[in-house]
Amino acid sequence: MNKHIFNRYVSAIILTSLTAAEIEAQTLQPAPRLVVNIVIDQLRTDLLEHYSPLYSEYGFKKLLNEGRAYEAASYPFEPLDKASALTAVATGTTPYYNHIPGEQWLDRTSLRPVFCIDDSKFFASPAHIATSTISDELKVSSNGKAIVFGIAESADAAILSAGHAADAAFWLDGKTSQWITSEYYSQEAKKWLKFYRNTNSQVIKNKDDRNDFVCNFALDCIGDNAMGRDHITDYLAITLSAKAGSKTKWQDELEDTYMMLDRTLANFISSVEQRFGKEQVLFVITSTGYTDEAAIDYERFHIPTGTFYINRTANLLNMYLAAVYGRGQYVQTCFHNQIYLDHKLIEHSQLNFNEITARSKEFLLQNAGVREVKESPYSPEISGDLIVEVAPGWQLINEDTNESYSCRAAFLPFPIIFYGAGVKAGLVSTPVTTDRIAPTIAKSIRIRAPNACKQAPLF
């Protein structure tokens, strides 16, 4: 090949490469101006599909048809409640790292319950979350310039979903139905809330309106606080509910709940899109992944059932351990479905802790209705030493605290939906876990994932 032809060949390659790079640069999707992360408490895929003929074209149908929907999502840990689920979505990890195993756990020192947002200084804060959240990382990457809010009907949902660095979390006062916040948050946000309350006298009057009330407040929060107005991505976490209120007419109420939820989402999404355009906002919708089911009389239908009394069994376990190892209060207490052993007594008595837990598991497994006994996967300060799982259909009761816990091992399907901001539409049936939501959001807004998140983005 002569020199002239070779130079032309090289020039063509360079020109082609540059053109491809320019085309790629032109087609790169810019980071959205606003991320709206909506978690719907107890939303279920099966019910979402069942009530689909009742929906409009602008709510769930729009999300499913124009968004990227993962229809078989799950959480990578159990048991679940609203607090542990919301924290898992925000942190992209499990309670082993984020230290929020549920709404409550026992303090090892006092043996008293700790509420997940308890704070001795501010009354309520996200201080118990042991890792960063997706909104925290956004604050860090923007040098604090990103605007971050969490909004929910309850304080724990608002605070846990907002993260440590949020400008504020807002929730409804249980007595007055007025929007309130914590002294933990910024003065600017508290001033705005005071102004908002002085100029908006609306209060929630009907529990059926709770989702509308939350979303209307969220729209005001977006507008009044100039969210999504510049090139720096802002973040809004919203918690809604798909829970039916009545235990006697729960099926009828579920139908109404899903219909109204569809309407609420349609109005909210349309309002946000009118302000910013579809390409400027990333919506993420998922569920807390559990359900509070109405009590079922299994015995009436001859289905295996029974009652396991954990407090009685804990006392019997202590008597057994005392007979084997000598007198002492080896079992300190029980909480939920967990049994707490006295670490100091066992260490002081120079006993083998692993041997005691092994004997305890053997003893507990001999009790009727016990399906499994596991050692806690979490750190001792937020969990008991032994976790008792009762058989499906059985009920666990603590007569000392009047707590009850039922086991249902069946899979509860729920979706993860990404919509807007250039997301390609599609329905994905492959099972996925919710700890992949945070890294997916992080990728879309060009920041790092939360610091305990080990999972890859979904796309």
Side-chain angles (χ1 to χ4, degrees):
M1 182 182 297
N2 64 41
K3 186 176 181 180
H4 179 69
I5 296 174
F6 176 77
N7 288 338
R8 288 179 62 188
Y9 179 72
V10 172
S11 298
I13 293 175
I14 293 172
L15 180 61
T16 303
S17 300
L18 288 173
T19 303
E22 289 172 351
I23 292 172
E24 184 179 1
Q26 291 174 359
T27 57
L28 279 175
Q29 179 69 28
R33 291 187 178 184
L34 178 65
V35 173
V36 182
N37 195 351
I38 303 174
V39 179
I40 304 175
D41 189 30
Q42 303 189 41
L43 180 72
R44 295 168 49 170
T45 296
D46 55 340
L47 295 177
L48 187 61
E49 294 173 347
H50 179 70
Y51 297 120
S52 60
L54 306 176
Y55 302 152
S56 72
E57 297 299 319
Y58 306 102
F60 284 124
K61 286 183 178 179
K62 182 177 183 178
L63 290 170
L64 293 170
N65 292 334
E66 300 181 27
R68 186 172 181 85
Y70 298 82
E71 61 179 358
S74 64
Y75 283 82
F77 62 92
E78 58 178 14
L80 278 169
D81 67 4
K82 184 168 61 177
S84 61
L86 287 166
T87 310
V89 170
T91 61
T93 191
T94 67
Y96 180 86
Y97 291 103
N98 64 42
H99 283 196
I100 306 293
E103 292 182 359
Q104 288 185 317
W105 57 88
L106 282 191
D107 179 272
R108 275 279 181 177
T109 304
S110 64
L111 294 181
R112 292 186 175 182
V114 175
F115 190 52
C116 57
I117 56 171
D118 278 349
D119 188 300
S120 58
K121 182 179 180 180
F122 299 108
F123 179 69
S125 84
H128 288 299
I129 305 176
T131 66
S132 71
T133 66
I134 184 64
S135 56
D136 293 339
E137 296 294 345
L138 177 57
K139 276 286 192 181
V140 171
S141 69
S142 65
N143 197 27
K145 294 179 180 179
I147 304 170
V148 175
F149 291 110
I151 298 173
E153 186 179 357
S154 63
D156 55 335
I159 290 172
L160 295 175
S161 61
H164 300 90
D167 295 276
F170 303 116
W171 63 92
L172 289 169
D173 183 282
K175 296 180 180 178
T176 65
S177 293
Q178 291 277 2
W179 289 104
I180 58 174
T181 189
S182 164
E183 288 299 316
Y184 173 85
Y185 298 107
S186 69
Q187 291 298 322
E188 292 79 5
K190 286 183 284 188
K191 287 179 182 177
W192 171 77
L193 181 62
K194 183 177 180 181
F195 172 80
Y196 182 86
R197 289 181 54 169
N198 288 338
T199 56
N200 292 269
S201 58
Q202 293 181 342
V203 295
I204 189 168
K205 298 178 180 179
N206 190 319
K207 65 178 179 60
D208 293 334
D209 300 330
R210 62 193 187 280
N211 289 327
D212 279 336
F213 203 70
V214 169
C215 285
N216 289 338
F217 179 77
L219 288 172
D220 291 336
C221 184
I222 291 171
D224 292 353
N225 291 283
M227 299 185 78
R229 297 282 181 86
D230 55 28
H231 67 282
I232 299 173
T233 302
D234 299 322
Y235 184 92
L236 179 63
I238 301 174
T239 306
L240 303 178
S241 176
K243 180 181 178 181
S246 173
K247 289 186 177 181
T248 56
K249 298 181 179 180
W250 61 273
Q251 289 179 319
D252 292 337
E253 288 207 13
L254 271 176
E255 180 178 309
D256 292 340
T257 297
Y258 275 75
M259 285 179 60
M260 289 187 289
L261 187 56
D262 175 71
R263 181 201 64 197
T264 299
L265 287 172
N267 293 337
F268 177 75
I269 293 171
S270 297
S271 297
V272 173
E273 286 186 332
Q274 286 175 8
R275 295 186 188 189
F276 304 106
K278 179 179 178 180
E279 298 304 309
Q280 297 294 336
V281 185
L282 175 64
F283 291 93
V284 185
I285 297 91
T286 192
S287 169
T288 51
Y290 74 100
T291 183
D292 290 331
E293 294 184 336
I296 300 173
D297 187 358
Y298 281 121
E299 189 172 0
R300 176 188 170 191
F301 298 99
H302 310 292
I303 299 171
T305 185
T307 303
F308 174 77
Y309 297 95
I310 192 168
N311 57 315
R312 297 183 194 177
T313 306
N315 291 332
L316 292 173
L317 173 61
N318 190 75
M319 294 172 62
Y320 166 72
L321 294 175
V324 175
Y325 297 106
R327 294 179 61 183
Q329 192 66 31
Y330 297 95
V331 177
Q332 286 187 305
T333 190
C334 51
F335 185 74
H336 294 329
N337 62 334
Q338 304 169 26
I339 292 177
Y340 290 71
L341 301 176
D342 191 330
H343 290 219
K344 290 184 178 179
L345 173 61
I346 293 171
E347 182 180 358
H348 180 74
S349 303
Q350 297 183 333
L351 299 172
N352 187 306
F353 185 82
N354 291 333
E355 180 185 323
I356 289 180
T357 55
R359 283 181 175 270
S360 298
K361 284 195 283 187
E362 290 177 3
F363 176 86
L364 293 169
L365 284 168
Q366 295 176 30
N367 288 267
V370 176
R371 181 185 64 166
E372 187 177 6
V373 180
K374 300 178 290 187
E375 294 182 42
S376 172
Y378 310 137
S379 54
E381 62 263 33
I382 60 168
S383 178
D385 299 291
L386 298 170
I387 298 177
V388 179
E389 288 293 338
V390 293
W394 278 64
Q395 188 175 37
L396 182 149
I397 291 179
N398 187 329
E399 292 177 305
D400 295 334
T401 61
N402 294 319
E403 281 188 307
S404 64
Y405 164 82
S406 297
C407 177
R408 183 177 178 86
F411 173 64
L412 177 66
F414 64 89
I416 299 173
I417 304 171
F418 294 87
Y419 168 79
V423 174
K424 293 182 179 179
L427 181 63
V428 183
S429 58
T430 305
V432 296
T433 50
T434 54
D435 49 357
R436 298 181 66 183
I437 293 175
T440 306
I441 296 174
K443 181 182 176 182
S444 73
I445 58 178
R446 320 290 195 266
I447 66 170
R448 71 174 189 175
N451 59 15
C453 176
K454 299 181 178 181
Q455 297 300 320
L458 286 165
F459 58 88

